[in-house]
Amino acid sequence: MGMDRRRRASLALTLNFLALILAISALTTSYWCEGNRKVVKPFCTGPVTVKQTHCIRYNSSNINDSRLVQYIWETGEDKFVLRKFHTGIWFSCEQNVDLVGEKCRSFISVAPPHERGVLWLCIVTECLYILLLATGGILMSIEVCHFGNVIDGLKLNAFAAIFTVLSGLLGMVAHMMFTTAFQLTVSLGPEDWKPQNWDYSWSYILAWSSFTACMASSVTTINRYTKTILEFKHKRRNIEKNLKIKQKLLDLDSPDQVWDMYISSVPSSAEEFLDLSSSGRKLSANSVFLDLNDLPSPQGEEYC
């Protein structure tokens, strides 16, 4: 039973550390969402001989000469370019005009003014999620490395379960707040940021994977705590039952009553007999026979 408890404790600790690593990775990266922005190509600069596909080129390099007729070759969709972008809780990054490199800005500055408070609350909740998750992991580590009595281990187990459950709830709320804030920013954000198309990316998957691992760790911890408590209660009932039977045997004077009491105390099923035999303090036939040997010798001879 002790090895089974230790295995469950190790499993809960592993899931907790996995959730912590995934949560930190998701918070520190800016790939929660990514997509493309459709923007108009800028006018080309530089010599005409250089072919540039990401800008609009006039037929003449002297665009200030009003005597020349200026025209462009790009028409329709050729006048636009799709620039990739990716966004996280902290930053929103977009490709440069020449599609080489990228420039980033704070995502909070991009969001509508009435949504910035939600984003700040999302950041605070994410940090609390990681803090409570780390606290639960520390308590689980102490419990795994703790070699004291079982009661202290149960107390650590209970507090670890509470912190892990609370962190999971905060993580879920934080992820949902970011999802709502991003969708509103797509609809109501500035025109120079609105994407043409977008989808959730790998950081977003890491965040929800962290939440899943956190809840699995909390369920394992609560299950371990509940199972240990039920095992203790079952043992206590068996011990109290055995003590009551022994007390009644000691109070009896007649050997016939002792034998009747012994027969009535035999478990009614094999399962109950195994429960009695598996408990640390068991009542067996040897103990009854020892009580019979303690009876006065005349009564024992008369009984035989």
Side-chain angles (χ1 to χ4, degrees):
M1 184 179 63
M3 290 299 295
D4 187 35
R5 280 202 301 268
R6 191 162 295 277
R7 261 196 311 270
R8 291 197 296 268
S10 301
L11 176 60
L13 181 61
T14 303
L15 290 172
N16 184 279
F17 278 135
L18 177 63
L20 183 61
I21 293 172
L22 293 177
I24 295 175
S25 301
L27 183 63
T28 54
T29 53
S30 59
Y31 283 86
W32 287 59
C33 301
E34 62 180 350
N36 298 300
R37 284 192 63 239
K38 186 177 180 180
V39 296
V40 179
K41 292 180 181 179
F43 294 114
C44 295
T45 57
V48 183
T49 57
V50 179
K51 184 178 181 181
Q52 298 178 355
T53 59
H54 306 301
C55 58
I56 298 176
R57 168 76 56 187
Y58 285 102
N59 64 311
S60 174
S61 60
N62 189 8
I63 60 176
N64 295 322
D65 190 354
S66 59
R67 295 173 301 175
L68 298 176
V69 177
Q70 303 288 347
Y71 59 89
I72 59 177
W73 296 104
E74 287 83 357
T75 58
E77 293 294 328
D78 294 335
K79 294 186 297 183
F80 299 94
V81 62
L82 292 177
R83 296 163 62 179
K84 295 182 179 180
F85 82 98
H86 55 89
T87 302
I89 292 180
W90 303 100
F91 297 105
S92 177
C93 300
E94 184 179 350
Q95 281 183 322
N96 292 323
V97 176
D98 55 357
L99 304 182
V100 178
E102 60 184 15
K103 59 179 181 179
C104 300
R105 49 180 168 172
S106 174
F107 181 61
I108 296 178
S109 64
V110 174
H114 62 276
E115 289 297 322
R116 293 175 183 174
V118 177
L119 276 177
W120 278 114
L121 185 60
C122 172
I123 293 173
V124 172
T125 308
E126 285 283 353
C127 294
L128 286 176
Y129 165 57
I130 294 177
L131 179 62
L132 291 178
L133 196 58
T135 305
I138 292 173
L139 292 176
M140 291 180 189
S141 301
I142 296 174
E143 182 193 358
V144 170
C145 301
H146 183 66
F147 295 100
N149 55 27
V150 182
I151 301 302
D152 293 338
L154 279 177
K155 291 178 181 179
L156 290 173
N157 195 350
F159 281 109
I162 292 173
F163 280 112
T164 309
V165 171
L166 288 178
S167 66
L169 294 177
L170 286 176
M172 179 184 66
V173 172
H175 303 343
M176 294 176 65
M177 283 193 295
F178 174 81
T179 303
T180 303
F182 181 81
Q183 291 176 353
L184 288 176
T185 304
V186 170
S187 302
L188 306 175
E191 293 296 330
D192 63 342
W193 180 86
K194 286 184 178 181
Q196 176 75 10
N197 52 70
W198 62 274
D199 201 355
Y200 299 108
S201 189
W202 55 269
S203 294
Y204 191 80
I205 297 175
L206 288 182
W208 282 107
S209 299
S210 170
F211 165 75
T212 304
C214 174
M215 295 309 296
S217 175
S218 64
V219 169
T220 305
T221 306
I222 294 173
N223 176 266
R224 182 162 49 93
Y225 176 81
T226 306
K227 189 172 182 179
T228 305
I229 292 296
L230 291 177
E231 287 174 354
F232 282 165
K233 288 184 178 180
H234 181 68
K235 282 187 175 182
R236 183 177 179 181
R237 283 197 301 267
N238 288 337
I239 292 172
E240 290 177 351
K241 182 179 179 181
N242 294 340
L243 289 177
K244 288 180 181 179
I245 294 173
K246 180 177 279 190
Q247 186 63 36
K248 289 182 180 180
L249 290 174
L250 292 176
D251 293 340
L252 293 176
D253 294 332
S254 172
D256 294 333
Q257 295 177 348
V258 173
W259 181 253
D260 293 339
M261 187 64 202
Y262 171 70
I263 294 299
S264 63
S265 65
V266 173
S268 59
S269 64
E271 182 180 357
E272 185 179 356
F273 180 76
L274 291 176
D275 291 340
L276 288 175
S277 62
S278 63
S279 61
R281 303 169 181 82
K282 57 185 176 181
L283 181 64
S284 63
N286 294 330
S287 63
V288 177
F289 292 147
L290 287 175
D291 293 337
L292 290 175
N293 292 332
D294 293 336
L295 294 174
S297 56
Q299 293 183 359
E301 293 174 357
E302 182 181 356
Y303 173 74
C304 293

